[in-house]
Amino acid sequence: MTSLHEVARQTLALVDLTRLETDDTEADIESLCRKAGTSFGPVAAVCVYPRFVATARRALAGADPAEEVRIATVVNFPRGEDDAETVVEAIRAALAAGADEIDLVFPWRELRAGNDEPGRRLVSAAREACGEHVLKVILETGELTEADLIRRAARIAIESGADFLKTSTGKVPVNATPEAARILLEAIRDSGRDVGCKVSGGIRTTRQAREYLGLAARIMGPDWISPSHFRFGASGLLDDLMATLGDSQAPAPDKDAY
């Protein structure tokens, strides 16, 4: 079994370090961006609300190009109930402010009610608005609950142009689970398309990360795992990774989780 130290080093480069609280301030986002460039290397991205994209861009300016941290933001978030026009306007504004990646909430309530078309229309419109920028589609798997619904959402998102399938917003009672991640990874494998997977919500320890990495390696192969294909959306995971790697300034790992 891969050691926790090795897992922590691999996971660090896959993290979308996330701050999505309604009372966030510019100072909070600046602090997040400072954390993103760790002594063991940078995370993959920071993920912030659209109003803070420009703040993140300023905070990350001047970083070594070899250690670039991408900027992700969310649209149709968190409820997934905006119309396509509103979503497209939000995407265009976020990209103009400096976003590199867009995390879009899928209209999962419509799918759960038996209607596939709103999801197809919304993801297709978002794909066009994103152009060459990365589009991650948040399926809210914990609210879809049934494996068949999760598979259908995954298939719709892939066929409509998603670059990544993402489990969750982190704003519902059930977020990322190994079972949901397995379904998304199998859908990606079976599609034959170059699509990534982002597990998000409730992942706080290196040991949890190891479970998801093992799952991805079994389904997609270990060489597939890289920031261009696999991400962890997390706010608390970084502290545990740093502690596992031996950063004396980081909080100690939560032993109860082990």
Side-chain angles (χ1 to χ4, degrees):
M1 182 179 290
T2 306
S3 73
L4 285 180
H5 189 279
E6 292 172 304
V7 169
R9 187 167 289 280
Q10 181 181 21
T11 301
L12 180 65
L14 306 175
V15 170
D16 282 8
L17 187 60
T18 302
R19 178 92 193 191
L20 294 169
E21 302 299 328
T22 55
D23 59 353
D24 284 342
T25 66
E26 287 199 355
D28 292 326
I29 303 310
E30 290 165 354
S31 176
L32 185 81
C33 291
R34 287 194 295 272
K35 289 179 64 177
T38 82
S39 56
F40 297 99
V43 300
V46 295
C47 186
V48 300
Y49 274 120
R51 66 184 184 273
F52 293 117
V53 167
T55 302
R57 179 58 65 196
R58 289 194 300 271
L60 293 168
D64 184 341
E67 297 190 347
E68 179 186 7
V69 175
R70 299 176 68 79
I71 299 172
T73 194
V74 291
V75 297
N76 202 23
F77 187 92
R79 293 188 54 81
E81 295 180 328
D82 292 344
D83 59 56
E85 182 178 356
T86 299
V87 168
V88 166
E89 289 177 358
I91 290 172
R92 289 173 176 164
L95 296 178
D100 300 300
E101 303 178 351
I102 299 294
D103 289 28
L104 164 76
V105 180
F106 188 85
W108 55 268
R109 290 179 182 81
E110 293 280 2
L111 183 68
R112 202 168 63 177
N115 192 353
D116 292 2
E117 286 311 302
R120 293 187 189 281
R121 289 196 299 270
L122 187 66
V123 177
S124 295
R127 172 74 277 158
E128 183 175 357
C130 283
E132 297 299 314
H133 293 84
V134 170
L135 173 63
K136 310 189 199 92
V137 179
I138 307 170
L139 302 181
E140 204 69 292
T141 55
E143 294 295 301
L144 293 176
T145 67
E146 298 175 14
D148 286 345
L149 274 180
I150 297 171
R151 289 190 191 97
R152 196 157 86 214
R155 185 173 64 251
I156 291 168
I158 291 170
E159 291 172 352
S160 302
D163 294 306
F164 274 76
L165 303 181
K166 179 177 172 181
T167 56
S168 324
T169 60
K171 302 294 186 181
V172 293
V174 178
N175 292 286
T177 66
E179 175 64 11
R182 179 187 64 78
I183 294 169
L184 299 193
L185 289 162
E186 289 176 348
I188 292 165
R189 178 198 63 195
D190 295 346
S191 76
R193 299 195 184 187
D194 188 19
V195 175
C197 180
K198 178 176 173 179
V199 291
S200 182
I203 302 164
R204 298 183 177 88
T205 70
T206 306
R207 193 173 295 274
Q208 287 175 297
R210 179 162 64 183
E211 182 176 7
Y212 287 101
L213 290 172
L215 188 65
R218 288 192 297 274
I219 295 171
M220 301 301 296
D223 292 341
W224 180 84
I225 300 172
S226 71
S228 62
H229 286 129
F230 197 71
R231 302 277 186 90
F232 291 96
S235 56
L237 176 60
L238 183 63
D239 287 340
D240 192 78
L241 296 176
M242 295 295 288
T244 302
L245 288 168
D247 182 354
S248 61
Q249 301 304 310
D254 179 2
K255 290 182 172 58
D256 291 340
Y258 293 167

